[in-house]
């Protein structure tokens, strides 16, 4: 192929000629990886027929959705390799169907969580103020991620994925160990109180703050489940729906413009004031003390650089989600835990925000004609059932064991498995393309043909 055809080496010594050849090979490899004038994408959609592929894929998807929904990460790191290696979709179509599955699992999980209260405070298990700060920026990041999904070569996506996921899974695991140790201390204290009959109140797991007693500042909730409408904060929910509808209108309208035309970029840029407006409103309210993220701590003095950092992390989570077909929870989950948010609330809030972002990704990928509808509907159903089952089983385990740190370990495990599976598939494809001298450069967005 012409990508590896080097210039004729000049008549130099043997050592110099060998060095020149080595340099020429590296130069041509760099040229191959960073070309921008090619277009190698052709979707591969297998026929939908009953067989071992769809059965095995359904089983893996079921367990991926169950674990992903509990950890608040969506499970996309398991869906994408399954759809690529087992069912037989191409990588980018797998990314799109993965988003469909994340949407189904997230919707099921949110419905389940809307009946639950905070483990230690008298409030919903979903922290609406935290969602309002992050979700608009997450939506903006999703739009950027979908564009990058078209442009970026697979090798670059693989490198970013491995670095990001190994780091976040390690951080989450260490947080899980820390929480487990604190829960062990609380359980021993609770057992001593029970033996001395000083306190006969049933132990409740998960302190709202590190080192804080589970019963401190906590309200004993007699009814673990309440009507759904009682757990909806309508003002915050209305603002989140406004962001979603605004993005939906912009995306549908953009579909009727030519790619890279003036109106195409105008409609893309209009997403910025929508996101900044809503997240900025919440950030200013937190800074001035008019609103508070109750799950973190009452009376928290927010700094400007903190609020900007969290908003930017929302954008990063969205970019990762749109680019890789994953849930933004891979970033939001560890971030919320670092903020001191209890694991149950972290998982529920991340999943709540992902419901909006993943559904918008599905709309964008549908407009790009990235997935076959029958397959998408089937796997959405699988993920929906699996997510509800996973939530139900893990909630029973937490209640029985008194250890909410199980959620953190599931989060770390899911991220780590995703890093291994997606990273392994990506490296394998990258090596194969290099051996076959296939195009590995950046795609041209303006020449993309759906």
């Amino acid at each position: 192929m012409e990508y590896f055809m080097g210039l004729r080496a000049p008549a130099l010594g043997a050592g110099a000629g060998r060095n020149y050849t080595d340099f020429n090979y590296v130069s041509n490899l760099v040229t191959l990886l960073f070309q921008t004038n090619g277009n190698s994408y052709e979707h591969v959609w297998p026929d939908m027929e009953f067989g071992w592929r769809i059965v095995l894929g359904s089983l893996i998807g079921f367990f991926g959705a169950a674990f992903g929904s509990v950890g608040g990460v969506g499970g996309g790191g398991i869906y994408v390799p399954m759809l690529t290696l087992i069912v037989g979709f191409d990588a980018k179509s797998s990314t799109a169907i993965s988003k469909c599955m994340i949407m189904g699992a997230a919707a099921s999980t949110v419905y389940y969580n809307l009946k639950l209260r905070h483990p230690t405070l008298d409030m919903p298990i979903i922290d609406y103020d935290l969602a309002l700060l992050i979700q608009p920026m997450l939506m903006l990041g999703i739009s950027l991620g979908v564009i990058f999904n078209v442009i970026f070569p697979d090798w670059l996506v693989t490198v970013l994925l491995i670095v990001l996921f190994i780091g976040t899974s390690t951080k989450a695991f260490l947080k899980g160990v820390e929480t487990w140790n604190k829960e062990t201390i609380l359980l021993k204290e609770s057992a001593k109180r029970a033996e001395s009959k000083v306190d006969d109140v049933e132990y409740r797991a998960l302190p709202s703050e590190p080192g804080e007693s589970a019963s401190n500042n906590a309200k004993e909730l007699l009814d673990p489940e309440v009507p759904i409408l009682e757990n909806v904060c309508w003002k915050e929910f209305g603002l989140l729906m406004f962001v979603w509808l605004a993005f939906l209108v912009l995306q549908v309208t953009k579909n009727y413009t030519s790619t890279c035309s003036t109106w195409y970029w105008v409609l893309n840029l209009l997403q910025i004031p929508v996101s900044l407006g809503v997240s900025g409103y919440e950030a200013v309210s937190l800074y001035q003390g008019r609103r508070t993220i109750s799950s973190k701590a009452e009376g928290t003095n927010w700094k400007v650089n903190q609020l900007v950092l969290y908003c930017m992390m929302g954008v990063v989570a969205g970019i990762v989600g749109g680019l890789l077909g994953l849930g933004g929870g891979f970033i939001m989950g560890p971030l919320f835990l670092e903020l001191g948010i209890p694991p149950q609330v972290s998982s529920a809030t991340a999943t709540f925000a992902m419901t909006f972002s993943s559904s918008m990704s599905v709309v964008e990928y549908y407009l790009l004609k990235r997935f076959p509808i029958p397959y998408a509907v089937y796997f959405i159903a699988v993920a929906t059932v699996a997510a509800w089952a996973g939530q139900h089983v893990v909630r029973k385990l937490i209640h029985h064991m008194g250890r909410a740190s199980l959620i953190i370990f599931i989060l770390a495990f899911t991220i780590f498995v995703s890093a291994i599976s997606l990273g392994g598939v990506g490296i394998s494809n990258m090596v194969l393309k290099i051996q076959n001298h296939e195009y590995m450069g950046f795609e041209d967005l303006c020449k993309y043909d759906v």
Side-chain angles (χ1 to χ4, degrees):
M1 295 292 290
E2 63 272 20
Y3 302 128
F4 287 104
M5 291 174 60
L7 297 175
R8 180 180 301 171
L12 301 173
R18 183 168 55 255
N19 292 337
Y20 184 87
T21 302
D22 293 341
F23 173 79
N24 193 44
Y25 177 83
V26 173
S27 176
N28 286 322
L29 177 60
V30 172
T31 301
L32 169 65
L33 296 179
F34 287 92
Q35 291 180 88
T36 58
N37 60 349
N39 192 343
S40 61
Y41 176 66
E42 292 182 5
H43 70 70
V44 178
W45 294 352
D47 294 332
M48 190 171 186
E49 55 186 16
F50 182 79
W52 71 269
R53 291 180 178 275
I54 198 168
V55 171
L56 181 58
S58 299
L59 288 174
I60 295 175
F62 184 92
F63 286 106
F67 280 100
S69 65
V70 171
V73 297
I78 298 173
Y79 304 150
V80 173
M82 176 272 291
L83 292 165
T84 303
L85 299 178
I86 297 175
V87 182
F89 285 94
D90 66 275
K92 295 193 174 182
S93 294
S94 297
T95 297
I97 299 178
S98 168
K99 270 299 181 182
C100 295
M101 297 180 70
I102 292 171
M103 180 186 68
S108 176
T109 303
V110 168
Y111 176 78
Y112 187 92
N113 288 331
L114 280 175
K115 297 180 290 184
L116 304 179
R117 301 292 287 178
H118 192 285
T120 59
L121 303 174
D122 187 15
M123 60 177 287
I125 195 170
I126 297 173
D127 193 320
Y128 286 87
D129 282 296
L130 182 59
L132 195 58
L133 178 67
I134 299 295
Q135 183 257 9
M137 307 308 292
L138 184 71
M139 298 283 287
L140 179 61
I142 285 288
S143 295
L144 293 173
V146 171
I147 292 176
F148 291 155
N149 179 267
V150 175
I151 298 174
F152 281 13
D154 293 339
W155 65 268
L156 180 57
V157 173
T158 300
V159 172
L160 295 174
L161 180 147
I162 293 174
V163 172
L164 180 65
F165 282 15
I166 294 297
T168 53
S169 64
T170 302
K171 192 74 173 177
F173 177 78
L174 294 176
K175 186 69 176 180
V177 172
E178 177 186 345
T179 305
W180 178 279
N181 292 334
K182 290 176 180 177
E183 287 172 338
T184 300
I185 295 173
L186 290 172
L187 285 169
K188 289 180 179 178
E189 292 177 352
S190 179
K192 290 180 181 178
R193 288 197 299 269
E195 290 176 0
S196 60
K197 297 183 180 180
V198 174
D199 187 358
D200 59 354
V201 177
E202 181 183 357
Y203 170 74
R204 282 190 174 273
L206 186 64
S208 59
E209 279 294 307
E212 181 182 349
S213 172
S215 59
N216 191 26
N217 296 326
K219 180 179 181 294
E220 185 72 22
L221 302 176
L222 299 179
D223 297 320
E225 294 188 4
V226 298
I228 290 177
L229 294 180
E230 186 177 328
N231 266 348
V232 178
C233 298
W234 292 104
K235 179 180 178 181
E236 291 80 1
F237 182 76
L239 285 172
L240 294 172
M241 283 300 301
F242 164 75
V243 175
W244 190 89
L245 290 172
F247 271 69
L248 178 64
V249 170
L250 291 173
Q251 291 298 329
V252 172
T253 305
K254 187 178 70 175
N255 192 50
Y256 293 96
T257 65
S258 300
T259 304
C260 293
S261 65
T262 301
W263 277 109
Y264 175 88
W265 293 115
V266 168
L267 292 170
N268 271 310
L269 292 174
L270 283 176
Q271 298 174 75
I272 298 177
V274 173
S275 299
L276 288 180
V278 177
S279 285
Y281 162 76
E282 178 67 17
V284 171
S285 298
L286 290 171
Y287 178 75
Q288 296 177 348
R290 290 185 285 110
R291 304 184 72 90
T292 181
I293 296 179
S294 301
S295 292
K296 175 174 169 55
E298 294 187 11
T300 300
N301 294 319
W302 291 95
K303 298 179 181 179
V304 174
N305 62 326
Q306 286 180 312
L307 294 168
V308 172
L309 176 62
Y310 298 148
C311 288
M312 292 307 299
M313 291 301 292
V315 175
V316 172
I319 291 175
V320 171
L323 176 61
L324 305 177
L326 309 177
F330 282 92
I331 304 296
M332 289 188 294
L335 173 64
F336 292 168
L337 291 173
E338 285 300 311
L339 286 174
I341 306 298
Q344 296 103 313
V345 182
S346 171
S347 173
T349 305
T351 304
F352 180 66
M354 277 195 299
T355 305
F356 293 95
S357 61
S358 61
S359 59
M360 184 56 57
S361 293
V362 170
V363 172
E364 295 186 46
Y365 282 127
Y366 172 77
L367 296 176
L368 289 170
K369 296 181 175 62
R370 275 291 175 89
F371 59 83
I373 294 178
Y375 260 115
V377 172
Y378 171 74
F379 279 115
I380 286 174
V382 170
T384 300
V385 175
W388 186 90
Q391 290 289 330
H392 183 73
V393 171
V394 172
R395 185 185 175 209
K396 293 292 184 183
L397 285 174
I398 292 174
H399 179 75
H400 176 71
M401 298 176 61
R403 290 189 181 274
S405 55
L406 288 174
I407 295 177
I408 307 179
F409 286 121
I410 291 174
L411 168 67
F413 173 76
T414 307
I415 296 176
F416 181 75
V417 170
S418 299
I420 298 301
S421 58
L422 285 176
V425 172
I427 292 174
S428 176
N429 291 337
M430 184 169 61
V431 171
L432 186 61
K433 284 190 174 183
I434 291 177
Q435 291 176 343
N436 295 334
H437 299 173
E438 295 181 24
Y439 178 76
M440 295 178 60
F442 290 80
E443 306 286 351
D444 189 340
L445 176 66
C446 298
K447 294 180 181 180
Y448 177 75
D449 182 14
V450 301

